[in-house]
Amino acid sequence: MRALIIGIGQCGTKIADLFALVDFETLAINTSKGDLEYLKHVPHERRILIGDSIVGGKGVNANPILGREAMKRDLSMIMRKIDSIMGREDIDIFFLTFGFGGGTGAGGTPILAEALKNEYPDSLVVAIGALPLKEEGIRPTINAAITIDKLSKVADSIVAIDNNKLRESGDDISKAYEKINYTIVERIASLLALIDIPGEQTLDGSDLKFVLKAFGSFATIGYAKEDASKLKNLSRLILKSFESEGLYLEANIESALYGLIAIHGPPEVLKANEIFEALNYLTHKIKGKQIFRGFYPDPREREVEVVTLLSGIYESKSIEDIIITARNYAQSFMEAKEEAETKKKELLQGLPDFDDIYPGEVE
Ligand SMILES: Nc1nc2c(ncn2[C@@H]2O[C@H](COP(=O)(O)OP(=O)(O)OP(=O)(O)O)[C@@H](O)[C@H]2O)c(=O)[nH]1
Ligand SMILES: [Mg+2]
């Protein structure tokens, strides 16, 4: 399984930095020089400053038009860099990590996603983005809604992570961000670690690609872990990984088309009847009725770990909230703008020009 993680903007590069810590191939792209320097694990030659000629390394201050322009201007340099890291062949998945609410990530990610799809038609492009907090105001919500729309036309799947679910943790914001970022990396790393390795019934790269190739719809990753000595029923643990609504997203999992479940743990607890009970239940529950599965008995292991991936999701309250808020705002903003224009014309109508009042002053 060959994957490249590309972080875009501050949120995205922080997540890519954690992937670099656990030895993934990474690239960090930002319009802010300072934020790039702040990273700890992405090697220096893998950090790319974009849009220097327009914003001078200072970031784009949540303006996605500048983010988009910065990415466009430096796109060929980025594509050369990717080519030099990965070569032209056999890249299974590009994971693009970013924040939906800022300017660099929101504006730049769809441009890069499209270029990657064109240059690497056999590779998947999976967007992993953090949805803004409601308190951040209208701009991040609009950036998110428009970026979701654009990515849904070019990416294979969108793994949306709802930062609003942070509130449930009660931590302060930067700790909470950190926790979410770790969770993202932990789940994706656990999933990829179980692809293409020997097991009872295994998952390979093509299964994962099949599940993620879902015409730009939403996907989410669930997870559950338990000490093997404390495990009462594996079926219940598998269901628990879904019940938590996946990876920080409010979504109706019944609307999913495909699922994938990987179970890893000591052989004596991976009981076939308990696994099949859960698989049966879930296969009937999701709309697409297709669940790929892999079991990985491991005598050295003391914990049972379940990673689940659901894709093809179209019913998500987290996403609907953003789209509806942005659309309502756009509508009332356009109306207010039109009204302002009309009122301005009404207010100023009937005024003379200077020449009407001061005739004959200039020959
Ligand atoms: N989960 C998570 N979300 C984050 C993190 N940092 C910022 N965000 C969210 O991402 C959005 C802001 O995106 P940034 O990545 O800071 O913005 P940017 O892409 O660098 O763009 P500019 O700063 O405008 O140049 C906000 O909606 C934040 O809630 C993080 O570390 N983790
Ligand atoms: Mg930034």
Side-chain angles (χ1 to χ4, degrees):
M1 189 78 209
R2 290 189 81 213
L4 177 65
I5 317 286
I6 308 179
I8 304 130
Q10 189 182 18
C11 168
T13 52
K14 275 197 286 180
I15 295 170
D17 209 38
L18 290 179
F19 273 107
L21 175 66
V22 290
D23 287 337
F24 277 83
E25 295 282 3
T26 53
L27 196 62
I29 300 172
N30 207 342
T31 54
S32 160
K33 196 160 183 269
D35 288 348
L36 277 177
E37 279 164 6
Y38 180 80
L39 301 175
K40 292 198 189 86
H41 310 291
V42 175
H44 282 271
E45 72 281 6
R46 298 281 186 92
R47 304 178 190 185
I48 303 183
L49 181 68
I50 56 168
D52 195 26
S53 60
I54 41 178
V55 295
K58 293 199 169 68
V60 301
N61 201 14
N63 182 338
I65 294 184
L66 288 176
R68 182 180 69 192
E69 197 52 36
M71 185 63 82
K72 278 187 182 164
R73 289 195 186 197
D74 291 316
L75 196 55
S76 55
M77 183 231 314
I78 292 171
M79 298 309 277
R80 276 199 307 276
K81 187 80 191 174
I82 293 172
D83 193 22
S84 78
I85 298 171
M86 303 295 283
R88 305 275 327 147
E89 307 292 318
D90 297 335
I91 299 166
D92 293 296
I93 308 185
F94 292 100
F95 288 103
L96 309 186
T97 58
F98 62 100
F100 273 106
T104 305
T109 305
I111 302 296
L112 181 59
E114 191 180 3
L116 289 170
K117 283 308 287 183
N118 290 336
E119 289 273 321
Y120 298 85
D122 298 330
S123 312
L124 294 202
V125 172
V126 174
I128 305 178
L131 299 171
L133 293 165
K134 292 202 171 83
E135 292 80 13
E136 289 178 63
I138 193 66
R139 224 174 205 241
T141 303
I142 291 187
N143 294 354
I146 297 173
T147 303
I148 288 170
D149 182 35
K150 290 189 185 301
L151 281 173
S152 75
K153 294 170 182 134
V154 288
D156 291 289
S157 277
I158 302 172
V159 179
I161 293 126
D162 188 351
N163 277 345
N164 291 290
K165 304 216 66 137
L166 286 171
R167 257 191 237 101
E168 293 159 17
S169 76
D171 289 331
D172 77 69
I173 191 76
S174 59
K175 272 231 185 72
Y177 277 160
E178 224 168 86
K179 187 168 148 197
I180 281 206
N181 298 352
Y182 267 108
T183 312
I184 296 166
V185 176
E186 182 186 44
R187 291 189 189 187
I188 295 204
S190 301
L191 185 63
L192 295 187
L194 294 176
I195 301 287
D196 289 331
I197 62 159
E200 190 87 349
Q201 184 171 357
T202 58
L203 292 161
D204 60 28
S206 62
D207 297 331
L208 180 65
K209 285 173 82 169
F210 183 86
V211 172
L212 284 172
K213 202 169 175 57
F215 46 86
S217 54
F218 305 107
T220 188
I221 302 170
Y223 188 81
K225 193 158 77 170
E226 175 85 71
D227 211 316
S229 61
K230 291 192 189 128
L231 184 76
K232 291 209 182 75
N233 186 319
L234 181 55
S235 171
R236 209 165 297 153
L237 187 71
I238 297 171
L239 295 182
K240 198 172 140 203
S241 76
F242 280 84
E243 274 162 16
S244 55
E245 294 159 357
L247 177 56
Y248 296 95
L249 185 76
E250 268 189 64
N252 175 10
I253 66 162
E254 289 178 27
S255 75
L257 279 186
Y258 311 120
L260 181 149
I261 300 183
I263 306 163
H264 178 233
E268 64 276 12
V269 301
L270 301 193
K271 295 189 182 116
N273 59 332
E274 293 178 10
I275 294 175
F276 284 109
E277 187 189 328
L279 282 175
N280 242 338
Y281 173 79
L282 289 165
T283 306
H284 286 99
K285 197 172 168 79
I286 70 167
K287 215 172 227 164
K289 314 269 180 251
Q290 289 193 53
I291 298 209
F292 291 79
R293 71 284 303 261
F295 315 134
Y296 303 89
D298 183 347
R300 295 161 305 175
E301 198 49 74
R302 294 194 168 167
E303 286 180 320
V304 192
E305 183 187 52
V306 181
V307 194
T308 53
L309 167 66
L310 289 174
S311 70
I313 295 174
Y314 249 96
E315 288 173 27
S316 159
K317 186 168 181 322
S318 299
I319 289 163
E320 274 167 31
D321 280 355
I322 283 181
I323 304 291
I324 291 168
T325 308
R327 206 174 21 223
N328 289 346
Y329 174 82
Q331 227 159 33
S332 57
F333 178 79
M334 300 307 262
E335 277 165 23
K337 198 173 152 207
E338 228 168 82
E339 192 186 339
E341 254 174 47
T342 315
K343 286 268 155 69
K344 180 196 78 180
K345 271 193 202 134
E346 276 171 22
L347 174 72
L348 300 176
Q349 75 179 341
L351 271 180
D353 200 343
F354 295 123
D355 312 85
D356 301 320
I357 310 293
Y358 310 112
E361 296 284 331
V362 182
E363 279 306 301

